[in-house]
Amino acid sequence: MDHTYRLVISCPDRVGIVARVSQFVAEHGGWLTEANYHADAESNWFFMRNEIRAESLKVSAQACREAFAPLAAEYGMHWALVDSAVKRKVVILASHASHCLADILHRWHSGELDCDIPCVISNHENLRSMVEWHGIPFEFVAIDPENKAPAHAEIMALAQRYEADCVVLARYMQIIQPEFCQAYAGRMINIHHSFLPSFIGANPYQKAFDRGVKLIGATCHYVTERLDEGPIIEQDVIRVSHRHSKDDLVRLGKDVEKSVLARALRNHLEDRVLVHGNKTVVFD
Amino acid sequence: MDHTYRLVISCPDRVGIVARVSQFVAEHGGWLTEANYHADAESNWFFMRNEIRAESLKVSAQACREAFAPLAAEYGMHWALVDSAVKRKVVILASHASHCLADILHRWHSGELDCDIPCVISNHENLRSMVEWHGIPFEFVAIDPENKAPAHAEIMALAQRYEADCVVLARYMQIIQPEFCQAYAGRMINIHHSFLPSFIGANPYQKAFDRGVKLIGATCHYVTERLDEGPIIEQDVIRVSHRHSKDDLVRLGKDVEKSVLARALRNHLEDRVLVHGNKTVVFD
Amino acid sequence: MDHTYRLVISCPDRVGIVARVSQFVAEHGGWLTEANYHADAESNWFFMRNEIRAESLKVSAQACREAFAPLAAEYGMHWALVDSAVKRKVVILASHASHCLADILHRWHSGELDCDIPCVISNHENLRSMVEWHGIPFEFVAIDPENKAPAHAEIMALAQRYEADCVVLARYMQIIQPEFCQAYAGRMINIHHSFLPSFIGANPYQKAFDRGVKLIGATCHYVTERLDEGPIIEQDVIRVSHRHSKDDLVRLGKDVEKSVLARALRNHLEDRVLVHGNKTVVFD
Amino acid sequence: MDHTYRLVISCPDRVGIVARVSQFVAEHGGWLTEANYHADAESNWFFMRNEIRAESLKVSAQACREAFAPLAAEYGMHWALVDSAVKRKVVILASHASHCLADILHRWHSGELDCDIPCVISNHENLRSMVEWHGIPFEFVAIDPENKAPAHAEIMALAQRYEADCVVLARYMQIIQPEFCQAYAGRMINIHHSFLPSFIGANPYQKAFDRGVKLIGATCHYVTERLDEGPIIEQDVIRVSHRHSKDDLVRLGKDVEKSVLARALRNHLEDRVLVHGNKTVVFD
């Protein structure tokens, strides 16, 4: 992958933002390899992502950030200048099911996913060997169904000890406590095994089977305190029919879950996902 | 289209049904052009559709029905022997939006849809010219928002006067009274402009826009007394993004609505849809 | 639809283009409602589409064009400033099949397609009534299979007499003579009934059936002198199986053809399609 | 998975086949859990797949085969009665790319794929560790580019020594010699990284990129002596755009390749794929 800086911005919309920002980039010699803009008419909000070849910039990333700060302040921007060479640390939480975890690990191992995975945390032991084969620490934390709080606290502490930039719930199946949600707002990604907002909560495949839907789906979203109601990053579906049992739905759904999660995670890691209210702008 | 008889059956599952039915067909010289079977393990129910070349049968359809009745009784079958040469009468109810109606009319006019359309009924006048150009009577029934019952009764009476075998709600946008639902149970088809069970009820595109979903859909189902909860025949989706306004969703959704309705109606007219409880078996 | 100006540009890539162009737009008070950029790394070519609210510009479109010309010359740009209020004239060529034509006419009639349709030209009479019901002139030109040149010349002359900005071949099924291709380079759109480059030329559904493919498709492309080899604008597919006869493929393919053509034509009319060599950039 | 027998038949079509076969099944107490039929009108050929609960049959599989043989001979059937409890041996040939192999291994390891994998053969060493972690022997066979015949012979001998029932080319990238093709006719499965018949042969992603297609695909087919022209089992596509480089196509294509291969292999292992001429009937 090429070394780039990503200048990601959102702010109230007005005339001249693109001109000012691209003027700034050009003044510093920045060669744009990709640029995306979106103006949300309803909220009058503006979104922008500029990808700049690192070697074209005449100054360091840090100097660039300092130079940009006054402009950002003038326009009331939420913004970041991200260096693509600094790999994000993605801590994965898994449960018993292996498909999403195996998929992420293989993409990472084959060089497709540009991040570090400092550890995998699970409340089951069955995936330890697979994780450790990849050279990644596996942290087992038993969850006492009668008293989940200590385990939840330990898991959050582990994520922080491993300096997670991003937390992925790879079919983790546990409700996340509010403090953990807040600490990783916009950085904690869940894959839900239904086409949300259909079949919120537990057992979505059973519900889909009972309703007799002709497509099943999966939804990747940022985790908020409201279960399965966070900003949606990506969704997809697959066709099913009367021939499929509930177990078939579970099996077919796995393929959708893992591809939806992979696409969402990739876009998150490339700073292509901007959250605005309870919705996302995805510059893919 | 070839002239065929369709022997459609559902009954409690047990050993030997296929043998008995296909033995019956073979004894009468029936040449199967298509045959479909489904055993539902959960409810232990059996479904079957046999399509038989009409000219291969040594007896008339009526004689065939009489000969089959004892076997059907023995197995406790719901069944029908349908003559493909007898066109079904499909009465269409429309409102102001033209896309689903225009799509059905064009398919019918170009010979793709094998049915008669004895009339179109609407509570708006704007589609009269389009309907009449196709040589189909257009019945306008004004609906008084303060007192809808008389109009509803008149519409049901019209459907019956035109001897409707099937009623299609082509974005009709009115709630159907219980008597009408009951009179056309399993024969009244609605197209709902969302991927049910998401966004039941009014304004699904607004709801989809507000939720920030990444796919929008449409659902075709048989109408029951419970709004948007009848057996689903067909569903499909289309990808959307942050770039799409609510009006874009409405526009993009039209294409999904009309193709979902067209597929469902075609399958219904070819006796490929068998209702079982609140679900369907679709032998497509 | 909102009144906008579309500033569409392609040129050799270098640092600062976005800055200069967006500076120009901002200086004239232009409020961007949408902006798209693409840098093609392989050819080192840059593509840009800016959509500007008409009422935000302080000068007329013509004045704006004159002011932009020196900048465009400096960067070696191919460019246009298009006024969305000036409807393009789309002349449609059809043959015997009605599905693509009916689909375009309905979209136009219901206000979904923003253009004028000054006439439909066909070598068959069967679609005259449908076209004329829409209030559009229908021009019949008989084609002598032994001597096609005079008819082809007449058709091209008709397109020019009706001042076509764009020509759509809605399953026209005749090879276009080179002069006609050249006169409408980048403005003549064909829908081919296969997933190109599979099954170039005649009878693609028969070829697809014989090959036993599991998906069939349609391709919309700009017409060039090389049959079915022009720049692709849009493609899509639909699933088929062993159950489908060749006639089923023809029927199912119609739905793909018309939706692919509709999407491509809409993007063309909104100046979202930029041709570069034998490929397209589509800012949708 | 339930223990079943699969009675799979193809033969010239005539009246009464279903009756005779289902009569035979019923006489032996066979409870059908699934039954599929297809009559190919063009070739007048009939296809049938019956899945029978093992415990419902009053006789052994072998006795059942002997009893069925006279009936099969009378109708000129190609047929097999397959015991689902006897796992097929699938030998996988791989090259350097890991995605298809890793996907198959994970599906097998998690119990989704009902087969044995006696060994993986490769002309590269890089995947040895991954294969061996799954407890599967890894056989390395170096291929001399100047003299491939000895290696090819060794690979075929290995497949036979491991008693392969089925050979999967998981992006193997070598042309298979005719004897190997013939020895595994209808049992050797290849995944080709294009939507065949587009882009036959080498470098399909480069060709797709150069042609500017808007969808890329993958095709799973039985291997014959004619490169990339064997009977197609399954195909799928994914949307791409001008934003995607050739490397992006390679990356995106991987996901299509592995899902297409997984679906095709599963259907093959469940005896759902019947070859007829150069086409397949897939009872999925």
Side-chain angles (χ1 to χ4, degrees), chain C residues 7-231:
Chain C
L7 179 57
V8 183
I9 293 165
S10 71
C11 64
D13 198 6
R14 65 189 231 203
V15 168
I17 303 172
V18 176
R20 281 293 298 277
V21 173
S22 50
Q23 185 65 26
F24 174 89
V25 172
E27 277 169 7
H28 291 77
W31 180 295
L32 291 172
T33 60
E34 190 181 331
N36 297 278
Y37 306 73
H38 175 64
D40 185 63
E42 201 168 62
S43 63
N44 199 39
W45 210 261
F46 183 77
F47 305 85
M48 190 179 202
R49 179 184 183 278
N50 303 277
E51 190 136 12
I52 306 159
R53 277 190 211 163
E55 73 266 31
S56 73
L57 271 192
K58 295 171 192 153
V59 297
S60 72
Q62 193 48 37
C64 198
R65 283 184 195 109
E66 283 161 22
F68 190 71
L71 194 163
E74 180 187 339
Y75 282 81
M77 292 176 175
H78 303 266
W79 70 286
L81 184 84
V82 179
D83 183 343
S84 76
V86 180
K87 294 198 181 193
R88 283 215 179 72
K89 292 185 177 70
V90 178
V91 165
I92 306 173
L93 272 57
S95 182
H96 192 271
S98 64
H99 57 287
C100 284
L101 180 61
D103 186 74
I104 293 175
L105 293 181
H106 179 260
R107 289 178 197 272
W108 172 80
H109 186 253
S110 62
E112 184 186 314
L113 211 53
D114 192 33
C115 64
D116 288 328
I117 302 181
C119 79
V120 172
I121 307 172
S122 179
N123 56 329
H124 291 267
E125 278 284 5
N126 63 307
L127 301 176
R128 176 183 292 278
S129 159
M130 184 176 80
V131 171
E132 292 181 347
W133 180 83
H134 288 87
I136 295 171
F138 181 89
E139 300 281 356
F140 169 73
V141 180
I143 298 182
D144 175 357
E146 303 304 312
N147 182 17
K148 295 185 170 189
H152 284 331
E154 185 181 347
I155 289 166
M156 181 174 167
L158 273 169
Q160 292 176 323
R161 179 148 61 78
Y162 279 102
E163 301 179 328
D165 297 302
C166 168
V167 174
V168 170
L169 311 183
R171 295 297 310 278
Y172 174 57
M173 309 301 280
Q174 299 284 329
I175 292 174
I176 303 295
Q177 73 270 33
E179 312 90 276
F180 203 4
C181 295
Q182 287 154 12
Y184 285 90
R187 301 185 295 148
M188 183 183 282
I189 295 174
N190 184 46
I191 177 72
H192 184 75
H193 40 315
S194 85
F195 183 72
L196 288 175
S198 289
F199 313 130
I200 282 183
N203 294 320
Y205 289 123
Q206 183 67 52
K207 290 173 186 164
F209 180 78
D210 293 341
R211 182 61 186 93
V213 292
K214 300 300 185 185
L215 298 167
I216 56 168
T219 302
C220 201
H221 63 94
Y222 288 115
V223 177
T224 63
E225 293 173 57
R226 301 182 61 174
L227 184 67
D228 300 337
E229 297 196 9

Side-chain angles (χ1 to χ4, degrees), chain C residues 207-254:
Chain C
K207 290 173 186 164
F209 180 78
D210 293 341
R211 182 61 186 93
V213 292
K214 300 300 185 185
L215 298 167
I216 56 168
T219 302
C220 201
H221 63 94
Y222 288 115
V223 177
T224 63
E225 293 173 57
R226 301 182 61 174
L227 184 67
D228 300 337
E229 297 196 9
I232 293 171
I233 309 170
E234 173 66 324
Q235 303 187 283
D236 213 341
V237 294
I238 192 171
R239 193 159 283 273
V240 296
S241 80
H242 61 269
R243 292 184 306 273
H244 294 106
S245 68
K246 185 243 169 184
D247 286 348
D248 289 328
L249 302 196
V250 170
R251 174 175 58 80
L252 291 164
K254 284 179 186 175

Side-chain angles (χ1 to χ4, degrees), chain C residues 38 42 195 197-199 209 211 213-215 228-230 232 234-235 237 239 242 278-280 282, chain D residues 38 42 195 197-199 209 211 213-215 228-230 232-235 237 239 242 278-280 282:
Chain C
H38 175 64
E42 201 168 62
F195 183 72
S198 289
F199 313 130
F209 180 78
R211 182 61 186 93
V213 292
K214 300 300 185 185
L215 298 167
D228 300 337
E229 297 196 9
I232 293 171
E234 173 66 324
Q235 303 187 283
V237 294
R239 193 159 283 273
H242 61 269
N278 204 44
K279 298 168 75 168
T280 62
V282 183
Chain D
H38 175 63
E42 202 169 61
F195 184 74
S198 289
F199 312 130
F209 179 78
R211 181 61 187 92
V213 292
K214 300 300 185 186
L215 299 167
D228 299 336
E229 298 196 9
I232 294 170
I233 308 170
E234 173 66 325
Q235 302 187 285
V237 294
R239 192 159 284 273
H242 61 269
N278 204 45
K279 299 168 75 168
T280 61
V282 182

Side-chain angles (χ1 to χ4, degrees), chain A residues 11 13-14 17 36-48 281 283, chain B residues 242-244, chain C residues 31-35 51 53:
Chain A
C11 64
D13 198 6
R14 66 190 232 202
I17 303 172
N36 297 278
Y37 307 74
H38 174 63
D40 184 63
E42 202 169 61
S43 62
N44 198 38
W45 211 261
F46 183 77
F47 305 86
M48 190 180 202
V281 168
F283 287 130
Chain B
H242 61 269
R243 292 185 305 273
H244 295 106
Chain C
W31 180 295
L32 291 172
T33 60
E34 190 181 331
E51 190 136 12
R53 277 190 211 163

Side-chain angles (χ1 to χ4, degrees), chain A residues 98-99 102 130 251 254-255 258, chain D residues 1 87-92 99-120 130-137 168 258 262 265-266 269:
Chain A
S98 64
H99 57 287
M130 184 175 80
R251 174 176 57 80
K254 285 179 186 173
D255 285 350
K258 63 194 192 191
Chain D
M1 260 156 275
K87 294 197 179 192
R88 283 215 179 72
K89 293 185 177 70
V90 178
V91 165
I92 305 174
H99 57 288
C100 284
L101 181 61
D103 186 74
I104 293 175
L105 293 180
H106 179 261
R107 289 179 197 272
W108 172 80
H109 187 253
S110 63
E112 185 187 313
L113 212 53
D114 191 33
C115 64
D116 288 327
I117 302 181
C119 79
V120 171
M130 182 176 81
V131 171
E132 291 181 347
W133 179 83
H134 287 87
I136 296 171
V168 170
K258 63 194 192 192
L265 179 55
R266 182 181 181 88
L269 292 173

Side-chain angles (χ1 to χ4, degrees), chain A residues 38 42 195 197-199 209 211 213-215 228-230 232-235 237 239 242 278-280 282, chain B residues 38 42 195 197-199 209 211 213-215 228-230 232 234-235 237 239 242 278-280 282:
Chain A
H38 174 63
E42 202 169 61
F195 183 75
S198 290
F199 313 130
F209 179 78
R211 182 61 186 94
V213 291
K214 300 301 186 186
L215 299 167
D228 300 337
E229 298 196 8
I232 293 171
I233 308 170
E234 173 67 325
Q235 304 186 284
V237 294
R239 192 158 285 273
H242 60 268
N278 204 43
K279 298 169 75 168
T280 62
V282 183
Chain B
H38 175 63
E42 202 170 62
F195 183 72
S198 290
F199 312 131
F209 179 78
R211 181 62 187 92
V213 292
K214 299 301 186 186
L215 298 168
D228 298 337
E229 297 196 8
I232 293 171
E234 173 67 325
Q235 304 187 285
V237 294
R239 192 159 283 274
H242 61 269
N278 204 44
K279 298 169 74 167
T280 61
V282 182

